[in-house]
Amino acid sequence: MKSILEAPFVRELVRTISAMYAQGWDERNGGNISILLDDAEVAPYLDLNTVLRRIPIGFKEPSLAGKLFIVTGTGKYFRNVELDPAANLGIFRIASDGETAELLWGYTDGGKFTSELPAHLMSHAARLSVDPGNRVVMHCHPDNLLAMTYVHDLDERAFTRTLWQMETECIVVFPEGVNVLPWMLCGTNEIGEATAEKMKTARLVVWAQHGIYSAGADLDETFGLIETAEKAAKIYMMTSHLPIRQTLTDADLHQMEERFGVKARAGYLD
Ligand code: 2HA
Ligand code: ZN
């Protein structure tokens, strides 16, 4: 068996976690990531039949039964993951009952998966129902997106339009816009269900006064979505208190749609 620390999916996850920490998106134990893995990519590194521990997940997600995930651990600091991936990450399979995690690797200090597992697994199920290529769900606390939820209307169309106007390429990166949840208690099945519902129509879901969720085919896509939305939010926070002399118009954004072959969310542009 090859060392799992050399597996591309572990290396890329660790690299991404360090990059997120460097961006300032993951103070203390803030943030969490989950990746759906194929049995074939894990098999060279792990015996898929050796279950180390069985951990109840606290909800039922039968559509994910039999699927493998690598997930950040609860209470773990993104700053430390690169120093000890095996203590800070875990790989588990969702058992056939749809409500038990069968741990195959990681959480070596006796820990378990993130407290936000409901939002992660329910979002995976929701994204897979609209996009079978979805593999990654990512959560973090980017400064400017968070700040924006204190001063901007939380209406999804208005929030999306502002982000699109703050940087030309936003509409190309997230043409479906961003969905927004009002503040809710984190770590619960309720916020998981609400997030998953929002994930059916957009890959970005803002949690007001908390942070953001993103979903995509790989770590580059999910990281890039947050990076782009956060950059736009930063421009908003830099300019919204100043007299605005010009901005992107809907006509400009329609030109971007045409040039880049994307379609903005229906009804979001005039
Ligand atoms: O635990 O970000 O939302 C880390 C979090 C919870
Ligand atoms: Zn959080």
Side-chain angles (χ1 to χ4, degrees):
M1 274 288 152
K2 297 195 254 180
S3 163
I4 190 138
L5 296 178
E6 301 304 318
F9 56 85
V10 172
R11 293 173 73 112
E12 189 59 10
L13 175 56
V14 171
R15 189 176 77 83
T16 301
I17 285 171
S18 297
M20 292 173 75
Y21 178 73
Q23 294 275 2
W25 299 345
D26 299 279
E27 75 290 343
R28 201 175 183 276
N29 63 319
N32 24 77
I33 306 181
S34 57
I35 310 177
L36 172 60
L37 301 170
D38 293 327
D39 287 21
E41 67 181 326
V42 183
Y45 306 97
L46 280 185
D47 174 3
L48 299 180
N49 297 313
T50 304
V51 176
L52 305 175
R53 276 192 278 150
R54 288 186 167 74
I55 314 172
I57 63 173
F59 56 97
K60 215 173 161 83
E61 196 55 75
S63 71
L64 300 180
K67 294 197 186 301
L68 289 174
F69 291 90
I70 184 166
V71 181
T72 52
T74 183
K76 300 304 187 195
Y77 289 33
F78 271 27
R79 188 166 74 88
N80 296 338
V81 175
E82 64 184 15
L83 301 177
D84 191 355
N88 291 286
L89 307 172
I91 295 176
F92 56 81
R93 181 174 47 229
I94 303 298
S96 54
D97 64 6
E99 53 187 349
T100 308
E102 298 175 334
L103 183 66
L104 303 177
W105 174 80
Y107 308 141
T108 54
D109 58 5
K112 62 174 190 170
F113 40 74
T114 171
S115 60
E116 301 293 2
L117 197 70
H120 279 264
L121 293 191
M122 292 176 192
S123 290
H124 276 286
R127 286 305 305 170
L128 288 170
S129 74
V130 295
D131 173 10
N134 198 91
R135 289 290 176 275
V136 179
V137 173
M138 179 181 285
H139 166 66
C140 59
H141 306 158
D143 304 18
N144 294 285
L145 280 162
L146 242 166
M148 204 171 147
T149 67
Y150 287 83
V151 298
H152 196 283
D153 195 326
L154 295 181
D155 173 75
E156 290 171 343
R157 181 179 185 273
F159 202 94
T160 295
R161 287 176 54 83
T162 295
L163 292 177
W164 284 349
Q165 287 162 359
M166 292 301 115
E167 194 185 358
T168 294
E169 296 190 355
C170 281
I171 195 165
V172 180
V173 177
F174 48 94
E176 78 272 42
V178 300
N179 286 341
V180 183
L181 282 183
W183 187 88
M184 293 176 71
L185 187 62
C186 53
T188 62
N189 290 348
E190 288 71 26
I191 200 169
E193 286 156 11
T195 305
E197 192 54 36
K198 294 287 185 192
M199 279 286 182
K200 290 180 182 163
T201 50
R203 292 163 297 158
L204 285 168
V205 178
V206 170
W207 280 10
Q209 293 85 52
H210 183 135
I212 192 161
Y213 267 78
S214 112
D218 54 32
L219 287 163
D220 277 345
E221 180 186 351
T222 49
F223 184 97
L225 280 165
I226 294 176
E227 194 179 25
T228 308
E230 168 62 4
K231 175 71 165 281
K234 180 177 174 182
I235 306 302
Y236 175 77
M237 295 308 297
M238 289 171 77
T239 56
S240 59
H241 56 292
L242 300 172
I244 303 293
R245 292 168 184 255
Q246 53 276 320
T247 187
L248 288 171
T249 65
D250 284 28
D252 298 334
L253 293 171
H254 280 303
Q255 281 195 60
M256 289 298 291
E257 280 185 291
E258 202 165 318
R259 174 72 178 79
F260 289 91
V262 297
K263 194 80 201 84
R265 177 110 156 226
Y268 274 31
L269 290 180
D270 294 331

